[in-house]
Amino acid sequence: MADPRPEESAVCYINGMALHHTIDDAKIGMVVGRDVPWLLRSTTTRFPDKTFLVWEPFDGEAASWTYAEFRAQTRRVAAGLSERGVRRGERVLVHLDNCPEFLLAWFACAELGVVAVSTNTGSVQRDVEYFAAHAEVVAAVTSPQYARLVTESAPDLGLLVVTDNDGGAPATTDVEHVPFADLSATDAAPPERDADPMEPLGIQFTSGTTSRPKAVLWTHANAVFGAETNVSHMRLQAEDSTLIFLPLFHTNAQSYSMLSTLWTGGTVVLQPRFSASRFWDVSIRNQVTWCSTIPFCMKAVLGQPIPESHPYRFWGTAVVVPELTDALGIDTVGWWGMTETITHGIVTAPEHPGARMSIGRPSTAFDIAVRRPDGTPIGPGERGELFIRGVRGVQLFQEYFGNEEATAAAFDDDGWFATGDLIAMDETGEMFFSDRSKDMLKVGGENVAASEVEAVILETGLVSEVAVVGQPHEMLDEVPVAFVIPGPNAGDDLTDAILAACRAQLADFKVPRAVHPVDDFPRSTLEKVAKNELRDSLPTISR
């Protein structure tokens, strides 16, 4: 592969000012000789008897692992996979809700040089079929509740490994499988391999403007670079512990929370999912000092009785939220990032949080540019599209796996990655998330491509045209709704038929909350649907 770096060091310009130089060999130097197994081994050497992972299930028994115990079990799981034929360079589907087995499987794959394909457990069969086929997985690790879905979606798997629980609750399945516990029932060591920072590590599927998600491929260097950069952004220390309730199959929990904690030698407290009623008990009992959260979770926690004292010192909240500082006495850290950036490209400094709703200023880890449509940099009071640049496979993702065309289209000739996000800047240089120039929705932290939902609705043959937009929602930010022009085959049950098709073909969070039949759409130039007018016609949903 050709070196993706520009030939010369680059300078970030915003409002005509040079902000920093970042594209240089120093970024590659940070990861030479380092990979994820190196990181786990290095931290374990420093803190062998310290608790790395605390498991707080809603059902079933709680458990904990020291760094030494976790690494030892990870290596046994890796050896178990190897003994069953999984080889370096192959891909393994990890279709699990938050649980210790997710982390053990993920690190075991890293130990072997195998790519962990972590997928959204809210996906329907159509999605899982696509994930498995596109990534060409040879094996899968899942839990009883998803075992049949996985086998029916990927019938040619060479190996199916199933846990003995669903998010902590004991469970079984009648699908033929290898029990997860059997993987670590070996005295063998995994095959040795030299650390290769640029070796593929993991794939996450992320929605974009196309109707099918793209497979974002991270290298080991991406993970190592992201871990260290996260720590510098959040000023984390070995004494810190984090509560993870956001899904591990996403970048937020996987990189921001888990990898950064591993870098420092801190402690991860893991829950199956978010629970407002359990939040304070788990946090206080485990002396959690920080967590990454989303608006829905923040609002739900603030709706619970707030203890007089608690151990938190900050929350990562995507934007600066002074109300949390007032209510809880903690700092809030604003940030912007995406699956393709591994870490935060824009971030606030904890010591100087900035204005309300700010996402911060450019991280020194990247080149950042915010441009007008004509390509010139924005000025104070303006907004433009955000572009980001870094070394591919180190600062930025390596590629969209199996999609050379999409990879090539994502970068311009100078190596800038077009994010599709619109950013505004105030008079002081503070940055604020404004909108998505790409046709994307953000539903409770999940990315939803309007085009994917529209394609499913058009496939029904019941409408002649469809436009999916986001309706503001008090807890989830926004939810999808569909405006449709009925076709000649539409009946009185049009809405029910469309929703039934969407429920069968889409994950729950992608299903429209409402269908609005209309005679025509508002149009802009070239007869393009004016989706902004459709969005503006919708009231905010309170719950």
Side-chain angles (χ1 to χ4, degrees):
M1 176 178 293
D3 188 345
R5 295 173 297 160
E7 292 183 359
E8 299 179 356
S9 295
V11 183
C12 166
Y13 288 95
I14 293 182
N15 195 27
M17 297 183 296
L19 295 184
H20 50 264
H21 294 256
T22 61
I23 307 298
D24 54 36
D25 289 337
K27 299 306 177 189
I28 296 177
M30 289 175 64
V31 299
V32 170
R34 294 175 167 183
D35 62 3
V36 169
W38 164 84
L39 177 55
L40 180 57
R41 182 177 67 253
S42 176
T43 307
T44 299
T45 300
R46 294 171 59 222
F47 305 107
D49 300 323
K50 186 176 180 182
T51 299
F52 169 54
L53 175 63
V54 177
W55 171 229
E56 288 277 4
F58 301 163
D59 300 292
E61 295 185 3
S64 65
W65 287 257
T66 65
Y67 273 91
E69 290 168 341
F70 183 83
R71 180 170 182 262
Q73 188 169 353
T74 291
R75 286 176 57 79
R76 290 196 299 272
V77 172
L81 288 172
S82 178
E83 289 175 345
R84 289 162 178 81
V86 178
R87 297 291 177 259
R88 183 174 183 173
E90 294 181 326
R91 287 160 294 282
V92 172
L93 188 75
V94 180
H95 194 73
L96 288 166
D97 293 318
N98 286 2
C99 59
E101 293 90 345
F102 184 109
L103 292 175
L104 289 166
W106 193 88
F107 278 97
C109 287
E111 186 77 41
L112 290 174
V114 168
V115 180
V117 182
S118 51
T119 49
N120 192 323
T121 54
S123 304
V124 296
Q125 183 168 335
R126 170 178 177 264
D127 296 325
V128 181
E129 288 175 350
Y130 169 73
F131 298 153
H134 186 85
E136 300 175 343
V137 300
V138 301
V141 182
T142 191
S143 59
Q145 63 184 320
Y146 305 121
R148 187 162 299 280
L149 168 66
V150 169
T151 55
E152 292 178 352
S153 301
D156 297 327
L157 283 175
L159 174 67
L160 177 68
V161 179
V162 182
T163 67
D164 63 359
N165 66 91
D166 289 325
T172 60
T173 178
D174 59 1
V175 173
E176 185 176 353
H177 67 278
V178 172
F180 188 90
D182 286 5
L183 293 181
S184 55
T186 178
D187 295 326
E192 294 297 326
R193 65 178 188 85
D194 294 332
D196 179 0
M198 301 309 290
E199 187 161 20
L201 168 70
I203 286 175
Q204 297 173 51
F205 284 88
T206 183
S207 292
T209 54
T210 57
S211 61
R212 301 303 280 162
K214 296 190 287 291
V216 180
L217 177 65
W218 285 4
T219 66
H220 283 256
N222 283 142
V224 172
F225 179 84
E228 184 173 8
T229 304
N230 290 332
V231 169
S232 67
H233 287 166
M234 295 183 280
R235 318 296 196 260
L236 298 179
Q237 300 176 349
E239 294 73 28
D240 281 311
S241 59
T242 188
L243 177 62
I244 296 181
F245 47 76
L246 298 179
L248 281 165
F249 51 72
H250 279 336
T251 297
N252 194 307
Q254 203 172 107
S255 174
Y256 299 5
S257 299
M258 182 269 288
L259 285 172
S260 60
T261 300
L262 175 60
W263 183 272
T264 62
T267 298
V268 166
V269 180
L270 182 66
Q271 289 185 293
R273 59 188 177 278
F274 174 70
S275 170
S277 63
R278 296 174 175 87
F279 180 85
W280 287 115
D281 174 63
V282 169
S283 298
I284 292 172
R285 177 155 34 82
N286 291 285
Q287 289 297 290
V288 177
T289 60
W290 74 280
C291 72
S292 176
T293 185
I294 58 176
F296 170 83
C297 301
M298 282 189 284
K299 293 170 184 176
V301 169
L302 290 176
Q304 299 289 313
I306 298 174
E308 292 184 4
S309 63
H310 60 78
Y312 279 104
R313 65 183 180 87
F314 80 91
W315 287 3
T317 49
V319 296
V320 175
V321 187
E323 294 87 344
L324 279 177
T325 302
D326 295 339
L328 303 177
I330 63 173
D331 292 326
T332 58
V333 177
W335 57 45
W336 171 92
M338 56 197 306
T339 310
E340 288 88 342
T341 68
I342 299 89
T343 180
H344 326 105
I346 299 173
V347 65
T348 62
E351 303 86 354
H352 305 284
R356 183 180 186 276
M357 300 302 290
S358 169
I359 59 174
R361 295 170 184 263
S363 163
T364 56
F366 299 94
D367 277 351
I368 296 290
V370 185
R371 302 171 180 165
R372 303 183 184 104
D374 64 3
T376 57
I378 65 168
E382 296 181 339
R383 75 171 190 174
E385 184 175 357
L386 174 63
F387 293 81
I388 188 166
R389 181 164 62 175
V391 179
R392 276 179 42 198
V394 180
Q395 294 153 289
L396 298 177
F397 73 115
Q398 180 67 60
E399 63 183 41
Y400 292 122
F401 179 81
N403 195 338
E404 293 183 4
E405 182 179 352
T407 303
F411 296 88
D412 68 15
D413 292 341
D414 293 321
W416 290 97
F417 176 76
T419 70
D421 286 347
L422 300 181
I423 301 296
M425 184 172 67
D426 70 9
E427 298 292 335
T428 70
E430 290 286 319
M431 293 184 169
F432 303 81
F433 181 81
S434 179
D435 202 352
R436 293 172 182 84
S437 62
K438 295 179 179 178
D439 203 2
M440 293 290 299
L441 286 68
K442 196 77 166 181
V443 182
E446 297 279 4
N447 288 327
V448 176
S451 58
E452 182 179 5
V453 184
E454 290 165 351
V456 170
I457 294 174
L458 286 171
E459 287 170 2
T460 66
L462 301 175
V463 304
S464 59
E465 199 168 352
V466 56
V468 170
V469 300
Q471 180 169 4
H473 192 285
E474 188 177 90
M475 298 296 287
L476 300 174
D477 281 352
E478 60 183 349
V479 293
V481 299
F483 289 85
V484 300
I485 299 176
N489 297 324
D492 294 337
D493 64 344
L494 175 63
T495 294
D496 291 340
I498 288 174
L499 292 177
C502 289
R503 293 188 186 104
Q505 298 293 317
L506 298 169
D508 287 346
F509 60 88
K510 299 178 183 179
V511 175
R513 290 295 184 91
V515 176
H516 301 291
V518 294
D519 293 331
D520 198 4
F521 296 136
R523 309 280 179 173
S524 57
T525 55
L526 301 177
E527 289 300 296
K528 184 178 180 180
V529 177
K531 285 192 171 183
N532 60 314
E533 295 186 33
L534 295 176
R535 284 194 295 268
D536 292 344
S537 71
L538 298 168
T540 298
I541 300 173
S542 59
R543 290 288 176 180

